[in-house]
Amino acid sequence: MRLSVPALWHRWPTWLPALAWLLLLAVLPWWLDLPLLVACVLALLWRTGPLQPQARLLRLALRWGLPGLLLAVLRAFGADALAWLLTLLAALAGFSLLMLLEYWLDRGRRREPSSSATDEWPALALAPIGPAGAIIELQPPQWRSLEAGLTDPLGGELRWRDEAAQLADGSQLEGVEPRCDFAADGRWLVLPLVGQRGLLLLDRRCDRRHRLRGWQLAGWYEGQPWLSRDEEHVPLAIAHVLGHDEDD
């Protein structure tokens, strides 16, 4: 079975042939290494020729061959200060030319946008930004008098007795006005505090009471009371007022 050069290349670890190429150029004379690297450059520039499929191999040959050339130069001129200076200058010039060559070879790839990005752009441009908004329409509060008695949605009757609101279980709420409002399912019961000082909210599902000074009932939304400081402020859900999420 015949294998192409790229197929044979992938069967070997990438670093093994590259290291062998580097050591080979380091052993050979520098005046022989230089024509070999120049030949790799010319083959890369021959973009329409038969060597186009091997462009990746030629690039690796240049990247690993340049250090081999520098080692050959250092070996040829000795390890004195002048040899190190010439090697560093050659390294600076060589790697700069190599970066310019790769930049020039990749110029077309950077200019042409990918087809996937082109196809996705209209969809991204027309997509909505951020989460979908919701219009909240509050149901106005309907205050009901307790003086003549009021049917409790949870069963029993709410009454006004001895200057206090009496619940169906017999417990009394003092310091409130003789009127109330409640959610359709009866979970929330709201009573104004005397003197318009705030609200008393009863979460009867969780058996909690909240005395909120300076708040007023703005309305109802999905069975939850919304409160506001006054007409100039935006109403807030009960979860925001209490500072934690309420269970549905």
Side-chain angles (χ1 to χ4, degrees), residues 64-195:
W64 286 80
L66 184 57
L69 172 63
L70 297 176
L71 291 177
V73 171
L74 184 63
R75 185 174 57 85
F77 290 95
D80 55 1
L82 179 60
W84 279 103
L85 178 60
L86 294 176
T87 303
L88 292 177
L89 293 176
L92 179 61
F95 283 108
S96 299
L97 292 175
L98 180 59
M99 291 180 60
L100 291 176
L101 174 63
E102 294 198 351
Y103 181 84
W104 187 83
L105 293 175
D106 294 336
R107 69 192 187 283
R109 186 180 306 174
R110 284 188 296 269
R111 290 178 182 177
E112 298 177 359
S114 61
S115 59
S116 59
T118 305
D119 296 338
E120 292 176 359
W121 169 244
L124 293 176
L126 297 177
I129 300 176
I135 299 177
I136 298 177
E137 296 183 0
L138 297 180
Q139 180 181 357
Q142 298 179 1
W143 297 108
R144 301 168 176 86
S145 176
L146 296 174
E147 294 179 348
L150 187 63
T151 302
D152 192 338
L154 297 183
E157 189 176 8
L158 304 175
R159 296 179 179 271
W160 180 257
R161 181 176 299 176
D162 299 331
E163 301 298 324
Q166 186 177 16
L167 303 181
D169 59 0
S171 60
Q172 292 187 346
L173 306 175
E174 298 180 350
V176 296
E177 297 182 1
R179 57 194 180 101
C180 70
D181 194 6
F182 42 75
D185 58 357
R187 171 185 175 179
W188 290 97
L189 177 63
V190 183
L191 299 96
L193 299 176
V194 293

Side-chain angles (χ1 to χ4, degrees), residues 219-238:
W220 299 87
Y221 179 72
E222 295 184 349
Q224 298 286 328
W226 284 60
L227 312 179
S228 63
R229 288 291 187 180
D230 49 47
E231 296 180 354
E232 296 181 357
H233 289 79
V234 178
L236 300 176
I238 184 64

